[in-house]
């Protein structure tokens, strides 16, 4: 059985379908033949019996007779037509006369026993009996006793028989015709099935050839579109989707391998320099070249500096590896304004000689044509006339009226008290120092409400609220500010601004410098790992080359983006764009102690 199954499995699908179809058709024909045979033979026998009964009722229909009297005689019996066997037998079973003269007596049926069993009192409805000749061939016979037929000169029992050979011959002819027809049908069906199966499976052969070509390395191979509601069409669509994903996976793998090779090469290059330095000073010390305390102290300072540089590189690599793991980081509702203010204060503490300004928050309302999302939101007019937030050691400037602030900016910007369309909770940056305020609750994700009318100026405070990790966001801003300090001339000012784009539902922190700027062809490359515009890799120009890559990874974790555009008047503006959180109208809030926010990013 196992060998048969193995042989069957070795057959092609086309051969299997052809054999199954022919086998089913042969089985159907066999059942039809058996059923027809079983029904046809009784029908033919019944027809034979009906003829005999009709002859028994009126023997003159077969034997003939006098047309006037309707009687027959012995001569009529002798001349009775074939294939009927007609005989008159005495009551004791002795043959008196029949129509078998000139033929072999062994072929005549033996009717003597029937006559001996017959009685004159039989009913008119005659009984059909099967008898045999000396060779064993069956006959169907009926007896008509004297008195049940009209004949004055004939005395005895009239016997009429018909041979079963006619039925057998008809059955043999039928079976020969049926089997010949069935064989022809099977041969024709096998050929037609083979042809149809081959045509039907032709798309599968194309699937096979496409898969073979794809496996051989031709990743551009795709299957042609087929009828979508067929099995082959659905298979082609699924395979094309699978091949596309495999092709994309191969591209991603190749790209990842290239990035990994470059990453390892760059990391090796970065680590080689400090290691060579440390090794060099160690050899100098071993050879006695450091012969006084000043040289030893200088060597120790250099070794310590290179060790710190390697430690920073390793920490950055570990941080990127953690960010690449795509693990969910803890997030909360945060306001970008205090983050921008704290980052400016920290930068001022690091570089007291730099002027770091916090620009007034710009709220971009729907329909504001002065704002271009592809450029910095803070043009020259805004920086010059919009003022700056006081630094830690400066007195606070008196707050201007909203109209004056708006007129001074000249570019559609709104301060935190500017006109808005959606009534929102007060800015966390404005109330974070109030001891009696209740912290904001967890965000409730719900549909953004549609407000059909503009609200008053005092009720339109649009905070730069996002949902994210405060430490990571601060790190991203600080990395950009540190990058600006490192690559801009000493003494040039830096600005930090927050943009709330209500229509596009984005909250953006912009870090603006006034250095040499970044060429457009390099703006996408600077966020790659270990890529630096300064190919000399001098220590004076900085770090590990991973700072901007870390910023990009942080923004991906927040479903945001980071890019760089030109600063009006010269320089570079880095933008951290986050999905904006807004709040439903005050009328829908159930509590005054907390705000329910909606993520609209």
């Amino acid at each position: 059985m196992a060998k048969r199954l193995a042989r069957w499995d070795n057959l092609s699908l086309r051969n299997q379908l052809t054999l199954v179809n022919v086998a089913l058709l042969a089985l159907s024909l066999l059942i039809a033949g058996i059923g027809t045979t079983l029904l046809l033979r009784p029908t033919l026998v019944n027809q034979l019996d009906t003829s005999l009964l009709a002859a028994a009722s009126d023997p003159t229909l077969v034997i003939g007779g006098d047309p006037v009297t309707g009687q027959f005689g012995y001569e009529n019996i002798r001349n009775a037509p074939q294939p009927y066997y007609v005989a008159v037998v005495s009551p004791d079973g002795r043959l008196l006369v029949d129509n078998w003269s000139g033929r072999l007596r062994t072929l005549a049926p033996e009717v003597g026993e029937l006559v001996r069993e017959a009685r004159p009192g039989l009913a008119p409805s005659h009984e059909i009996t099967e008898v045999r000749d000396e060779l064993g061939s069956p006959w169907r016979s009926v007896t008509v006793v004297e008195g049940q037929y009209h004949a004055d000169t004939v005395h005895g029992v009239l016997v009429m028989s018909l041979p079963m050979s006619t039925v057998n011959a008809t059955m043999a002819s039928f079976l020969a015709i049926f089997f010949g027809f069935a064989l022809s049908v099977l041969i024709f069906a096998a050929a037609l099935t083979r042809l149809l199966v081959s045509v039907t499976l032709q798309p599968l052969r194309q699937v096979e050839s496409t898969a073979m070509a794809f496996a051989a390395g031709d990743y551009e191979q795709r299957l042609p579109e087929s009828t979508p509601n067929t099995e082959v069409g659905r298979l082609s669509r699924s395979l094309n989707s699978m091949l596309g994903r495999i092709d994309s996976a191969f591209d991603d793998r190749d790209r990842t391998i290239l990035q990994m090779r470059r990453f390892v090469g760059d990391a090796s290059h970065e680590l080689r320099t400090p290691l060579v330095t440390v090794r060099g000073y160690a050899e100098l010390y071993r050879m006695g070249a450091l012969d006084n305390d000043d040289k030893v102290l200088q060597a120790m300072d250099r070794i310590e500096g290179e060790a710190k540089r390697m430690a920073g590189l390793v920490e950055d690599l570990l941080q990127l590896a953690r960010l690449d793991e795509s693990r969910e980081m803890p997030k909360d509702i945060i306001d970008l304004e205090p983050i921008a203010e704290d980052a400016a204060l920290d930068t001022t503490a690091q570089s007291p000689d730099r002027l770091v300004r916090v620009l007034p928050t710009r709220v971009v309302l729907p329909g504001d044509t002065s704002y271009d999302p592809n450029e910095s939101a803070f043009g020259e007019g805004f920086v010059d006339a919009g003022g700056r937030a006081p630094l830690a050691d400066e007195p606070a400037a008196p707050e201007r009226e909203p109209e004056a602030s708006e007129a001074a900016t000249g570019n559609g910007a709104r301060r935190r008290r500017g006109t808005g369309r959606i009534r929102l909770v007060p800015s966390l940056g404005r109330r974070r120092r109030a001891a009696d305020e209740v912290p904001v609750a967890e965000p409730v994700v719900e549909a953004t409400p549609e407000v059909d009318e503009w609200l008053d100026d005092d009720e339109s405070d649009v905070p730069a609220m996002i949902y994210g990790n405060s430490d990571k966001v601060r790190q991203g801003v600080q990395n950009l500010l540190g990058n600006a300090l490192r690559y801009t001339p000493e003494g040039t000012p830096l600005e930090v601004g927050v943009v709330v784009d209500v229509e596009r539902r984005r909250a953006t922190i912009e870090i603006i410098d006034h250095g040499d700027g970044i060429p457009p062809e390099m703006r996408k490359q600077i966020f790659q790992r270990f890529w630096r515009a300064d190919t000399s890799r001098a220590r004076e120009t900085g770090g590990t080359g991973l700072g901007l890559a870390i910023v990009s990874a942080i923004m991906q974790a927040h479903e945001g983006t980071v890019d760089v555009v030109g600063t009006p008047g010269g320089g570079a503006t880095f933008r951290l764009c986050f999905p904006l959180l807004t709040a439903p109208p005050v009328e829908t809030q159930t509590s005054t102690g907390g705000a329910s926010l909606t993520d609209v990013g």
Side-chain angles (χ1 to χ4, degrees):
M1 186 65 180
K3 292 182 179 180
R4 292 179 181 178
L5 291 177
R7 293 175 182 175
W8 175 259
D9 292 337
N10 291 333
L11 296 177
S12 64
L13 180 60
R14 181 171 55 181
N15 292 333
Q16 289 180 356
L17 290 176
T18 302
L19 290 176
V20 169
N21 187 69
V22 171
L24 290 177
L25 182 59
L27 179 62
S28 301
L29 291 174
L30 179 61
I31 294 175
I34 294 175
T36 304
T37 301
L38 294 177
L39 293 176
L40 180 60
R41 183 178 180 82
T43 301
L44 295 176
V45 173
N46 186 55
Q47 291 178 354
L48 200 68
D49 293 346
T50 301
S51 300
L52 287 174
L53 291 175
S57 299
D58 188 4
T60 60
L61 295 176
V62 176
I63 301 173
D66 192 319
V68 178
T69 62
Q71 297 182 357
F72 60 88
Y74 288 106
E75 191 65 24
N76 297 115
I77 294 175
R78 291 188 184 95
N79 298 325
Q82 301 292 334
Y84 281 92
Y85 173 76
V86 181
V88 176
V89 184
S90 64
D92 57 358
R94 181 171 51 87
L95 179 65
L96 300 178
V97 63
D98 61 9
N99 64 342
W100 206 257
S101 61
R103 305 178 65 181
L104 293 176
R105 182 56 57 179
T106 56
L107 300 179
E110 297 180 353
V111 295
E113 187 66 26
L114 290 177
V115 173
R116 284 191 290 270
E117 294 178 356
R119 295 291 182 269
L122 287 176
S125 57
H126 307 285
E127 181 181 0
I128 303 298
T129 305
E130 183 173 320
V131 296
R132 296 182 180 274
D133 56 22
E134 293 182 4
L135 298 180
S137 299
W139 291 69
R140 303 291 288 181
S141 299
V142 62
T143 57
V144 183
V145 298
E146 187 177 354
Q148 293 182 349
Y149 57 86
H150 301 284
D152 295 339
T153 60
V154 177
H155 302 280
V157 179
L158 180 64
V159 178
M160 289 182 291
S161 302
L162 282 174
M164 290 288 292
S165 59
T166 57
V167 175
N168 295 334
T170 302
M171 291 298 300
S173 299
F174 166 76
L175 291 176
I177 294 173
F178 177 81
F179 282 111
F181 177 77
L183 182 61
S184 301
V185 169
L186 286 177
I187 295 174
F188 176 76
L192 183 60
T193 301
R194 180 79 172 187
L195 177 62
L196 293 179
V197 169
S198 300
V199 173
T200 304
L201 296 181
Q202 183 63 33
L204 294 183
R205 297 180 67 87
Q206 193 168 10
V207 170
E208 178 185 2
S209 61
T210 302
M212 293 293 292
F214 192 91
D218 186 3
Y219 301 136
E220 299 297 328
Q221 285 286 333
R222 294 295 184 274
L223 293 170
E225 294 295 333
S226 302
T227 306
N229 58 344
T230 62
E231 290 78 3
V232 175
R234 290 192 292 269
L235 176 62
S236 299
R237 188 168 59 252
S238 300
L239 286 178
N240 282 337
S241 177
M242 182 188 70
L243 294 178
R245 293 183 179 179
I246 293 176
D247 191 12
S248 300
F250 283 154
D251 292 340
D252 294 340
R253 183 201 63 179
D254 295 339
R255 186 165 52 253
T256 301
I257 291 175
L258 291 176
Q259 291 178 350
M260 184 61 66
R261 289 176 179 174
R262 180 180 176 183
F263 181 80
V264 172
D266 291 341
S268 301
H269 185 92
E270 292 288 340
L271 289 173
R272 186 187 301 117
T273 302
L275 287 175
V276 169
T277 302
V278 172
R279 180 179 178 182
Y281 280 111
E283 290 181 353
L284 289 175
Y285 180 79
R286 181 173 55 82
M287 290 185 300
L290 305 179
D291 51 2
N292 56 58
D293 293 341
D294 293 338
K295 291 182 179 181
V296 172
L297 181 61
Q298 182 181 6
M300 292 299 103
D301 289 340
R302 294 295 300 119
I303 291 175
E304 183 181 4
E306 295 301 330
K308 290 180 179 179
R309 184 182 176 191
M310 286 190 293
L313 177 62
V314 172
E315 290 177 1
D316 289 344
L317 290 174
L318 290 175
Q319 185 172 5
L320 278 174
R322 294 190 186 99
L323 291 173
D324 288 341
E325 291 177 358
S326 300
R327 292 187 299 179
E328 186 67 24
M329 64 176 61
K331 296 181 180 179
D332 200 353
I333 302 173
I334 58 177
D335 190 353
L336 296 182
E337 282 190 88
I339 292 179
E341 296 171 3
D342 294 344
L345 292 175
D346 295 342
T347 305
T348 302
Q350 295 174 12
S351 300
D353 59 328
R354 292 291 187 107
L355 177 61
V356 183
R357 301 189 294 180
V358 179
L359 301 177
T361 299
R362 178 174 182 180
V363 180
V364 180
L365 300 175
D368 186 354
T369 59
S370 65
Y371 173 68
D372 186 354
N374 297 320
E375 297 180 359
S376 174
F378 302 97
E380 293 186 49
F382 189 97
V383 175
D384 296 339
R388 62 184 175 88
L391 300 179
D393 55 350
E394 295 180 344
E399 186 175 2
R400 292 174 292 178
E401 294 298 326
E403 294 79 3
S405 175
E406 181 178 350
T409 58
N411 54 7
R414 303 300 201 268
R415 292 298 300 270
R416 180 56 63 191
R417 298 188 336 184
T419 303
R421 190 177 181 185
I422 304 175
R423 182 178 300 176
L424 300 172
V425 296
S427 168
L428 288 182
R430 297 301 178 104
R431 60 193 180 95
R432 61 194 178 105
R433 295 181 178 87
D436 56 345
E437 291 288 347
V438 179
V440 176
E442 291 292 329
V444 178
V445 179
E446 58 187 32
T448 304
E450 295 293 332
V451 181
D452 297 329
E453 59 182 12
W454 296 92
L455 304 178
D456 296 336
D457 291 349
D458 293 339
E459 297 176 312
S460 62
D461 199 8
V462 184
M465 306 294 291
I466 68 169
Y467 190 61
N469 185 284
S470 178
D471 294 336
K472 297 299 181 183
V473 174
R474 291 177 184 272
Q475 180 184 4
V477 175
Q478 199 61 49
N479 282 4
L480 293 179
L481 284 171
N483 193 71
L485 289 175
R486 187 177 301 113
Y487 290 102
T488 56
E490 295 184 2
T492 57
L494 300 175
E495 286 90 29
V496 182
V498 178
V499 183
V500 179
D501 190 344
V502 178
E503 182 176 8
R504 295 173 183 82
R505 299 175 181 177
R506 295 189 308 177
T508 305
I509 294 181
E510 294 192 2
I511 290 85
I512 306 167
D513 66 51
H514 301 277
D516 298 331
I518 300 175
E521 63 272 10
M522 295 184 180
R523 291 177 182 176
K524 291 185 178 180
Q525 301 177 4
I526 60 176
F527 297 101
Q528 298 177 5
R529 300 178 182 185
F530 291 113
W531 192 94
R532 287 186 294 185
D534 180 12
T535 58
S536 65
R537 299 179 182 268
R539 295 187 194 88
E540 291 79 5
T541 57
T544 62
L546 297 175
L548 295 183
I550 293 175
V551 174
S552 178
I554 290 174
M555 294 307 297
Q556 290 179 4
H558 286 80
E559 299 180 359
T561 59
V562 56
D563 61 356
V564 58
V565 297
T567 299
T573 298
F574 286 84
R575 305 187 302 178
L576 302 177
C577 298
F578 300 88
L580 177 66
L581 288 178
T582 61
V586 175
E587 289 78 8
T588 64
Q589 296 180 6
T590 57
S591 175
T592 59
S596 175
L597 298 181
T598 303
D599 187 355
V600 297

